[in-house]
Amino acid sequence: MYLCLCKGLTETDVRAVAQAGLTSPEELIDALALDDEFCCGRCALEIDSFVAVAKEEWARVHPAPAS
Ligand code: FES
């Protein structure tokens, strides 16, 4: 599913960045270059959806230890 039409970024792209530990809004904007001159600004307004995907991926690859 596309999350950013301007750059053609999909959930897979966001998950790849998240696997490197980048899950905060600022980290995702920087890593995915969502603030350059080619961006329309929609993604910055909807960064919470990027963060949700990134945090889900981080939790998937780093599950909490069983107690
Ligand atoms: S849709 Fe992502 S910057 Fe425009």
Side-chain angles (χ1 to χ4, degrees):
M1 176 177 148
Y2 282 97
L3 292 178
C4 175
L5 295 177
C6 293
K7 295 181 177 279
L9 297 172
T10 65
E11 281 193 20
T12 300
D13 297 313
V14 176
R15 289 180 189 283
V17 170
Q19 288 178 10
L22 307 176
T23 61
S24 75
E26 296 80 11
E27 290 170 331
L28 292 170
I29 288 170
D30 187 48
L32 298 168
L34 296 178
D35 58 355
D36 68 14
E37 70 266 23
F38 302 109
C39 292
C40 69
R42 194 182 119 217
C43 289
L45 294 174
E46 298 180 6
I47 194 64
D48 288 351
S49 62
F50 286 71
V51 170
V53 170
K55 288 187 181 290
E56 177 185 289
E57 181 65 9
W58 180 256
R60 187 186 72 77
V61 297
H62 296 92
S67 54

